[in-house]
Amino acid sequence: MGQGSITRRYRFCAAHRLHTDHLSAEENRVVFGKCNNPNGHGHNYVVLVTIGGPGAARAGQTMDLDALDRVVAERIVSRFDHRDLNQDPEFAVRTTTGENLVLLIWDLLVTQVPGGQLKKVAVIETRDNYFEYTGSASVAARS
Ligand code: NI
């Protein structure tokens, strides 16, 4: 059976610094390069949220988009926009890489989107960097 989906685009601006206390200062510089600059740097992040899938097919439609917009505004944009990601409690023990950011956004949204309709979260960090996560649903749930 085919599955439809819809992707909504959101934006926030935030600062971060790639750094981990698990490495020495020199190792941090080697691993993260200029992203380890002590003064940090900013990105205009784009978040792509895709909903759809089996839950949507049974319900006859995907989640109301106004409701999705509210969830993303409350859970994601207001949390990160014009903030320093390194100061977010969830990043106290994790580096603010795009991989970790997309995982955190997934975790913040997955309980808010009904019926397992959250299919994919993607984060565009720079012109050339794109991260995505499709969750941990079983193969059966996606077929
Ligand atoms: Ni960066």
Side-chain angles (χ1 to χ4, degrees):
M1 187 174 73
Q3 289 180 20
S5 67
I6 181 167
T7 299
R8 294 282 281 173
R9 175 185 287 257
Y10 306 93
R11 282 159 293 275
F12 64 84
C13 306
H16 78 151
R17 178 194 184 203
L18 293 183
H19 180 89
T20 173
D21 293 335
H22 298 298
L23 300 176
S24 70
E26 175 57 26
E27 288 168 332
N28 269 286
R29 277 193 293 276
V30 169
V31 171
F32 297 122
K34 64 183 181 182
C35 294
N36 183 240
N37 180 328
N39 294 324
H41 61 276
H43 292 291
N44 296 320
Y45 288 96
V46 175
V47 180
L48 303 172
V49 179
T50 301
I51 59 173
R58 280 197 298 275
Q61 63 177 51
T62 52
M63 179 185 182
D64 176 68
L65 293 181
D66 288 338
L68 179 65
D69 289 353
R70 280 194 299 275
V71 165
V72 175
E74 290 169 7
R75 305 276 293 183
I76 307 301
V77 177
S78 68
R79 178 174 181 144
F80 297 129
D81 193 34
H82 287 73
R83 304 294 176 92
D84 177 354
L85 297 182
N86 292 59
Q87 302 302 315
D88 188 284
E90 287 292 334
F91 285 116
V93 294
R94 286 192 275 185
T95 310
T96 54
T97 60
E99 292 93 334
N100 285 338
L101 180 60
V102 78
L103 274 171
L104 174 56
I105 292 174
W106 173 278
D107 287 347
L108 291 170
L109 292 180
V110 71
T111 58
Q112 308 296 311
V113 176
Q117 290 190 22
L118 186 61
K119 290 186 75 175
K120 183 163 77 176
V121 172
V123 170
I124 301 171
E125 186 182 59
T126 70
R127 186 192 64 182
D128 299 325
N129 281 356
Y130 171 86
F131 306 89
E132 64 180 38
Y133 186 66
T134 53
S136 54
S138 69
V139 171
R142 293 191 205 181
S143 61

